[in-house]
Amino acid sequence: MGRSIRKRPTFPRRMTMAAAALFIGGGGLVAVNVYASASDDPGKAQVRAAPVRNLSTIDCPDVSNNLPDVPDAARPEVDRELAAIDTQITDAYEKFASNKDRVDRDPGYAQQVVLDPLKDKRTASLDRITGAVGRGGGQQPQGMQGLAPCTLRADDNGTGGQGAAQAAGQAQGQNQGQGQWQNQSGQGQGQQGQGQGQGQGAGGQAQGVGNGPAKSDFVDIRSVRPNVRAPQIQRNGSTGLFTSSCGVNQNAKRNPDNVIVAPGVSNGAHHMHDYVGNQANDAFASDADLANGGTSCRNQGDKSTYYWPVIRLQNGQNENDANADGGGKDKNVGKIQTPVQVTIKFAGNPVSKVTAMPRFLRIITGDAKAFTNGNANANASWSCTGFENRQLKDKYPICPQGSKVVRTFNFQSCWDGKNTDSANHRTHVAFAGRNGACPRGFKAIPQLQQRIVYAVPPGPGFAVDSFPEQLHKPVTDHGDFINVFSDQLMRKAVTCINTGRSCA
């Protein structure tokens, strides 16, 4: 299957929830107490009143989702530049965090030391991306320079990124998600829920830096209303399940790479991933490497790679990556937790039969940058054992004594029938609609459903790894998958699903 040129959707430029407090105008930092005069330099904003406090992170327009199309010949260079842009944000965040007190006193200092240099670096990368697309035979994207300026913003919860180590008292929140197809696996995403809860903090990410999570990022699962819904199964629906047992990463295969998004780039994720399945996965793994790699899956015909960000306890104990890329260097600190259970299932479609996935199909579900990008591609789903009819999208669950934290990933289950990947790693696959039907031009494939269970202490004492500027928000949770089933095993899985049986 080829990776042909894919037309990307055009996403409107978004204004964050903090836009009333902070906004970029012509490259300058504008706040409620800052103004830009027509007689001033249009690229700068002028400080006018009291300093802005509780600035928590850097908010940059997402580049990948705004590229119109990328030809295959340009993909390697574009991927490298997109990874470089991520590193630029990470470096700028480190500079911001290291000078947080001065930034709070003087927003103009942040403009000069953090935002202006970041804009210059992004401008250069965007120019190189534009040139690469043109040299690769594509139409050069227009208006890319508008993506160069970034802003400083406050945590939407108004906490200034207060760490979980400081969290004590109530945590409140609401969640709205999209219902997805579920069957015997019992997994689905929430329609809507809300709740209040209390919990004592125990630890915190990058303490003193305001790197999150915040106490308001947690909610007592018992106060969330049941919110899981499933479309009705139709006569032609496929109700079977295929299960692949691949362990819990007990051999601790981890790295901060992402071969889908940043191939050939070490530390392309800027956070640590757990891997089950294929044991050859790193930033430099080719399809041939994956095909020839070992697997932790019981059925050796499944050499697929399944990976997701690790969860860490915020209890003041450091992991052995405290001074390494993806770990402490990227503001991911705390003791990594190995899941107590990982369930990998492939489910059917409620209105149609499924077709085989192509080998080396790549799927990313969720958005690692959803805190700053918004919820358009977010697909996080958090809950507790015994309460899985209640799913949270933008809150961590506080589970009662005896209950365990559960992460669920329900992947896109519709394929365009042509491509194993796309330029933004999204448009070649899609979610089924509320009724279970795939969009026009897409066909149903087995839906990967992952359920990952952790035995963590009750309360807001854990966090998912993230890009540092994403503040370890639960909404940034995401999962990655590359299909490396043998053709024989994929045929078995499809037959099993389409005939309504449960197989392994």
Side-chain angles (χ1 to χ4, degrees), residues 338-353:
T338 299
V340 297
Q341 183 182 15
V342 174
T343 305
I344 295 172
K345 295 183 178 181
F346 292 86
N349 182 282
V351 300
S352 71
K353 305 302 182 187

Side-chain angles (χ1 to χ4, degrees), residues 489-504:
L489 187 61
M490 180 56 67
R491 285 194 296 270
K492 176 182 177 181
V494 168
T495 300
C496 171
I497 292 167
N498 285 338
T499 56
R501 294 181 292 131
S502 292
C503 309

Side-chain angles (χ1 to χ4, degrees), residues 244-463:
S244 190
S245 299
C246 300
V248 297
N249 195 25
Q250 57 267 38
N251 60 329
K253 178 174 175 54
R254 302 184 180 108
N255 63 50
D257 302 341
N258 192 329
V259 71
I260 297 178
V261 175
V265 179
S266 296
N267 194 34
H270 294 276
H271 52 263
M272 201 62 65
H273 284 129
D274 263 330
Y275 290 85
V276 300
N278 202 291
Q279 299 297 289
N281 193 345
D282 61 21
F284 306 96
S286 65
D287 286 352
D289 292 330
L290 296 176
N292 293 322
T295 179
S296 68
C297 298
R298 183 178 303 165
N299 190 321
Q300 294 292 295
D302 183 7
K303 293 188 176 184
S304 302
T305 178
Y306 309 87
Y307 57 107
W308 51 82
V310 300
I311 280 181
R312 300 178 191 249
L313 285 187
Q314 305 306 300
N315 58 3
Q317 297 182 8
N318 285 330
E319 189 58 72
N320 58 14
D321 65 350
N323 297 310
D325 288 339
K329 284 187 176 180
D330 287 303
K331 302 291 188 273
N332 294 301
V333 299
K335 197 70 176 175
I336 293 175
Q337 299 300 286
T338 299
V340 297
Q341 183 182 15
V342 174
T343 305
I344 295 172
K345 295 183 178 181
F346 292 86
N349 182 282
V351 300
S352 71
K353 305 302 182 187
V354 298
T355 190
M357 291 180 175
R359 207 163 193 226
F360 305 116
L361 175 70
R362 286 149 163 79
I363 309 180
I364 298 174
T365 198
D367 184 358
K369 302 174 186 175
F371 177 55
T372 54
N373 283 350
N375 291 346
N377 292 312
N379 193 27
S381 200
W382 297 87
S383 190
C384 303
T385 56
F387 298 88
E388 290 176 70
N389 61 342
R390 315 171 192 201
Q391 296 288 326
L392 296 164
K393 182 176 184 177
D394 57 358
K395 302 292 175 185
Y396 292 116
I398 297 174
C399 301
Q401 193 70 36
S403 177
K404 297 179 176 65
V405 170
V406 181
R407 301 161 79 183
T408 302
F409 297 115
N410 291 304
F411 281 66
Q412 296 91 316
S413 58
C414 302
W415 172 51
D416 68 3
K418 304 173 186 176
N419 301 290
T420 58
D421 200 2
S422 50
N424 65 355
H425 314 293
R426 296 188 186 278
T427 53
H428 65 297
V429 289
F431 286 104
R434 288 183 177 274
N435 64 352
C438 287
R440 185 182 300 274
F442 286 74
K443 56 183 67 177
I445 56 174
Q447 183 186 39
L448 171 58
Q449 300 175 340
Q450 292 176 177
R451 179 176 178 267
I452 310 170
V453 183
Y454 297 86
V456 298
F462 66 92

